[in-house]
Amino acid sequence: MKEYIVACAFSLCVPQVLHAADTATAAPEASAVSASDWAFQITPYLWATGVTGKVSPFGVGPTVNIDRSFSEGRDGLNIAGFVNVWGRHDRFVLSADMMYTDTSDENTYGFPGTSQLPAFEAAGKLNTRQFMATVQGGYRVVDTPAFTLDALAGIRLWHVSNEITASGLGRSVRYDESFGWIDPVVGARVFFNLTDRLSVQAQADIGGFEVNSDLTWSFLSTANYTLNEHLSFSAGYKIVDTDYEKDGHVYDTRLSGPVVGLTYRF
């Protein structure tokens, strides 16, 4: 972030206008349904995610390394939302996983000044909003009371917007930019019934294939406990890894951490 603050701080010294335009937890298996009915379940969940990798939030800016744990990231977390929807009709299945985060980072930097410019301080703020959605359809390849296997294929959509503001010498400048892309993905989901109430599952996908991202993949595994006919509790671990670099934008990151969710089936 420092590189962006420094660049904006110097722009405070001369009049100019900056403007830019942009060029899950899946939960326990839905209860048995007849061949003519759909079954759906929805799981809002908490994801204690950290992030590592490298990003260039602005096409005109430098690439910076990031390595932030969940505990380090909480201070700058404005809002985060995560939800998974799962549906099944006979052997046809549907999976949708959506994530939204809004984070900010602030700091103040001192500049020693020159013969033409007095020493001053510039306050900077970087605000980042991210939306990610993965939508897949598929077919149940194996369907037994103890074990199911689903083959999946679909798309993953990313939209990232960044805004940086620097203030000093009685002036303020702002620069904002957004970018997004869509990747094809293929995947699979397995589900094991251990007891009447306890189950485990795993869902994974891989994609990108240089269509937009060079590579993107995700993995989710949870243990699930059925509370009643409609409610279940899940806990596990989730990873989303993406390697994207195009038109000056770099988003090569891995989001990972434990998840907990509460599923409602209807």
Side-chain angles (χ1 to χ4, degrees), residues 1 68 72-79 101-107 124-129 163:
M1 175 181 171
R68 176 178 292 183
E72 293 171 327
R74 285 182 301 175
D75 292 340
L77 183 64
N78 300 323
I79 187 172
T101 61
D102 184 334
T103 60
S104 58
D105 194 6
E106 297 183 66
N107 217 325
K125 179 179 180 179
L126 174 64
N127 182 244
T128 298
R129 298 178 179 89
E163 178 184 288

Side-chain angles (χ1 to χ4, degrees), residues 5-30:
I5 303 299
V6 171
C8 285
F10 278 113
S11 71
L12 296 171
C13 306
V14 292
Q16 59 179 314
V17 177
L18 298 179
H19 173 76
D22 60 17
T23 24
T25 306
E29 187 75 345

Side-chain angles (χ1 to χ4, degrees), residues 28 38-39 47 75 84 131 139 220 230-231:
W38 276 93
W47 185 14
D75 292 340
N84 174 270
F131 174 79
Y139 187 78
L220 167 70
H230 295 288
L231 291 176

Side-chain angles (χ1 to χ4, degrees), residues 202-245:
Q203 183 170 337
D205 61 56
I206 187 169
F209 311 122
E210 299 185 352
V211 173
N212 281 301
S213 296
D214 290 339
L215 181 69
T216 182
W217 62 271
S218 71
F219 174 78
L220 167 70
S221 181
T222 61
N224 318 295
Y225 185 79
T226 300
L227 302 173
N228 56 46
E229 180 183 357
H230 295 288
L231 291 176
S232 299
F233 173 80
S234 300
Y237 200 84
K238 182 179 180 71
I239 305 171
V240 178
D241 189 289
T242 300
D243 182 1
Y244 173 86
E245 185 172 353

